[in-house]
Amino acid sequence: MDDTFFLTPEDIAARSLKPQGGVDFIRTFQKQAEDQAINLPPNLAELVQSPHYNQSTDNLVWRYFFDLKGSTEFRFPGGIIQWARYVKDGKGLKPNERIYSEFLHSKEDTLTLGTLRIYSTGLRQPHFHFNANEMGYVISGCGKVGVIVSHSLSTDFTIGVGDVVFFAVGTQHYIKSTCDEDLLFILAFSTGNQLQTLDMDDYFHATADHILAQLFFKKQEEFKKIPRFNEDQAINLP
């Protein structure tokens, strides 16, 4: 705002804002030597007497604002996920969240945002996303990340506070918490559509035993040793 103001001719600014004093008032503005993109004047208390912000009650607000911390917690044995995202038909969303969801979905090249909390020793099991790249920023804790790069290549590395991770669409990856404290991420996905994810246990259970036996050269009855749980194991504990 300040950059465009000071680049605007004084008479044009005066005609646009129509202040008392006209051009003379416009000339009282002084351009600061330092960039004021994020500012904190030393005499702030002198300049501002009554800071007060009222949140509008208009539903328009909820297109642009989402209370992520206050949203539904998706709880798993090994952690918690919360989402600011599009959900088809608004299923499970509060009225304000539904407004945000639909507006997000109506725009191109938008993002899905979320937080991922993995308890100490917890594992976000191997999974991949069909329709989005993923980036994550570590807020607290530490961990180990593994990535399947190709059919014959994988890599793993440690992460800590301030680190950023990236997983391209379709790349299988896992995240394990290795500290005494929880591993907390903020995650961004390159889609405004409903995120599509497939976990390792889901695709194992969805594949017939005789197909697994043939693929892994293992007797068919051996695959009955892989249990099914009532509770989603997307984030699990040992």
Side-chain angles (χ1 to χ4, degrees), residues 76-130:
F76 304 88
I80 302 170
I81 298 176
Q82 290 180 280
W83 295 105
R85 61 175 176 169
Y86 169 70
V87 178
K88 188 176 181 180
D89 300 325
K91 184 178 180 181
L93 297 179
K94 302 171 187 175
N96 292 341
E97 294 174 348
R98 183 172 293 195
I99 294 171
Y100 176 90
S101 172
E102 291 299 330
F103 189 64
L104 179 74
H105 187 56
S106 71
K107 304 301 178 183
E108 294 183 1
D109 301 324
T110 52
L111 294 174
T112 290
L113 200 69
T115 57
L116 168 63
R117 180 181 296 277
I118 306 176
Y119 303 146
S120 179
T121 73
L123 171 71
R124 175 63 181 101
Q125 68 162 282
H127 64 285
F128 62 90
H129 309 290
F130 290 101

Side-chain angles (χ1 to χ4, degrees), residues 163-184:
D163 287 339
V164 173
V165 296
F166 171 73
F167 310 116
V169 60
T171 301
Q172 182 166 285
H173 54 281
Y174 67 83
I175 306 170
K176 182 180 180 181
S177 176
T178 57
C179 284
D180 291 335
E181 64 177 311
D182 295 349
L183 175 58
L184 180 60

